[in-house]
């Protein structure tokens, strides 16, 4: 565990989704397949808290998010969330929307690579959770749907209007967020929303192979790359170049960079430690 973790203990088990860690690879599985893994208030809160804890655990180098059954995540449960929101006052509603946004902020700001293995529909909040991941591997049967306008809300939700244009461009993001139509996996790959599309029965193994590659690789290099990609989205060029210069100088003192040179000199493969 990180030496910088304060008094609160790490959570030992999570009640509202499945969570496992195996040799550096953490897997979070939404487990309400009868409702296409629709989210509840508790799932949102646990997801926010889990992602915040991951860097402090010391045993996680990559996170895979997926769903049981026919869906990745169909968004907020209509009865358990949307129905309950009708009863809330403005202050409570703002607390809820800030919580949902905190999930996306945590996914983007964690220094751990996140893979979304999308098995079936990723709709509403489910589509934004996938959007906030670093890699999106889609089964051929998978579909995206940014459904917010179809329930009478702004298509800009949970950071979608910030993230999506940066992936697919303003024009396509406008179409997807304003109209809320389903996006098939083939088009998702064409416009750059999918990292890759694979046969349905190859989804788990493909995600596992990528997770293994990330977990076995130079973890410190991967994490700093993710952090810089996130931080530089709103920087000018000069600030970005300076930040990258300082980061590279720091990593040049790290164990993994020295290990690369030692391995190259000896004609062997590097043994990465993430330090």
């Amino acid at each position: 565990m990180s030496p910088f973790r304060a008094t609160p203990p790490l959570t030992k088990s999570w009640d509202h989704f499945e969570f496992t860690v195996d040799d550096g690879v953490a897997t979070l599985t939404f487990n309400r397949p009868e409702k296409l893994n629709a989210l509840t208030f508790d799932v949102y809160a646990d997801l926010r808290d889990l992602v915040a804890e991951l860097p402090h655990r010391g045993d996680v180098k990559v996170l895979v998010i997926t769903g049981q059954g026919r869906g990745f995540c169909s968004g907020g449960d209509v009865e358990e969330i949307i129905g309950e929101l009708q009863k809330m006052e403005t202050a409570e509603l703002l607390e809820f929307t800030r919580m949902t946004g905190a999930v996306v902020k945590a996914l983007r700001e964690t220094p751990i690579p996140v893979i979304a293995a999308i098995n079936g529909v990723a709709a509403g909040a489910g589509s934004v959770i996938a959007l906030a991941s670093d890699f999106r591997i889609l089964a051929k049967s998978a579909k995206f749907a940014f459904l917010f306008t179809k329930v009478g809300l702004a298509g800009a939700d949970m950071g979608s209007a910030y993230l999506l244009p940066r992936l697919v461009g303003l024009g396509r993001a406008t179409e997807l967020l304003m109209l809320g139509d389903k996006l098939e996996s083939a088009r998702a790959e064409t416009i750059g929303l999918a990292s890759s599309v694979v046969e349905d029965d190859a989804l788990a193994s493909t995600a596992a192979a990528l997770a293994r590659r990330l977990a076995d690789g130079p973890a410190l290099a991967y994490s700093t790359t993710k952090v810089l990609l996130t931080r530089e989205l709103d920087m000018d060029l000069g600030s970005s170049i300076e930040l990258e210069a300082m980061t590279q100088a720091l990593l040049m003192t790290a164990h993994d960079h020295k290990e690369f040179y030692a391995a190259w000199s000896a004609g062997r493969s590097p043994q990465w430690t993430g330090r």
Side-chain angles (χ1 to χ4, degrees):
M1 189 171 74
S2 167
F4 305 112
R5 179 72 176 177
T7 303
L10 291 172
T11 308
K12 293 184 178 179
S13 62
W14 300 89
D15 295 335
H16 304 292
F17 42 66
E18 294 180 7
F19 179 72
T20 61
V21 179
D22 180 18
D23 194 18
V25 177
T27 302
L28 185 159
T29 306
F30 297 122
N31 58 355
R32 303 180 76 213
E34 72 283 358
K35 292 203 169 185
L36 293 178
N37 298 313
L39 302 172
T40 65
F41 294 125
D42 289 333
V43 176
Y44 270 120
D46 270 4
L47 182 56
R48 173 200 59 195
D49 295 345
L50 169 64
V51 178
E53 283 192 7
L54 287 180
H56 301 284
R57 291 180 55 99
D59 61 347
V60 173
K61 294 182 178 179
V62 57
L63 172 65
V64 179
I65 303 177
T66 193
Q68 285 184 2
R70 298 181 298 110
F72 173 75
C73 174
S74 60
D77 188 291
V78 175
E79 293 177 346
E80 296 193 37
I81 287 188
I82 297 179
E84 291 300 312
L85 294 178
Q86 311 305 305
K87 308 170 188 176
M88 294 184 183
E89 300 293 335
T90 303
E92 293 175 292
L93 294 170
L94 182 56
E95 186 178 2
F96 167 69
T97 54
R98 283 176 171 162
M99 177 178 71
T100 65
V103 171
V104 170
K105 188 170 184 288
L107 286 168
R108 291 309 314 144
E109 293 190 347
T110 184
I112 293 169
V114 180
I115 301 168
I118 304 169
N119 54 308
V121 66
S127 65
V128 187
I129 289 169
L131 180 63
S133 301
D134 301 298
F135 301 91
R136 285 159 297 281
I137 302 175
L138 275 62
K140 276 193 175 180
S141 62
K143 298 178 179 63
F144 277 102
F146 296 89
L147 292 174
F148 305 108
T149 60
K150 291 186 178 291
V151 299
L153 297 175
D157 191 37
M158 297 173 63
S160 59
Y162 178 89
L163 295 171
L164 191 58
R166 287 164 168 78
L167 274 179
V168 304
L170 178 60
R172 291 190 177 102
T174 300
E175 172 197 343
L176 295 173
L177 295 180
M178 194 172 293
L179 299 180
D181 292 338
K182 286 183 180 179
L183 179 69
E184 303 287 340
S185 61
R187 187 170 182 234
E189 185 174 35
T190 298
I191 67 176
L193 185 52
S195 305
S196 61
V197 175
V198 299
E199 297 293 339
D200 287 17
D201 59 5
L203 178 65
S205 61
T206 303
L210 177 57
R212 186 75 268 144
R213 176 179 175 181
L214 292 167
D216 289 344
L220 185 59
Y222 293 152
S223 67
T224 52
T225 300
K226 174 174 178 173
V227 169
L228 292 186
L229 283 167
T230 299
R231 295 302 176 201
E232 292 184 41
L233 284 173
D234 301 310
M235 285 185 179
D236 60 76
L237 178 60
S239 299
S240 293
I241 289 174
E242 179 63 12
L243 179 59
E244 291 182 7
M246 290 189 294
T247 301
Q248 291 294 58
L250 179 64
L251 288 187
M252 286 172 185
T253 69
H255 179 276
D256 274 351
H257 184 60
K258 291 180 170 57
E259 165 62 11
F260 160 76
Y261 186 72
W264 179 83
S265 299
R268 60 176 175 81
S269 297
Q271 300 298 308
W272 306 115
T273 62
R275 294 187 291 113

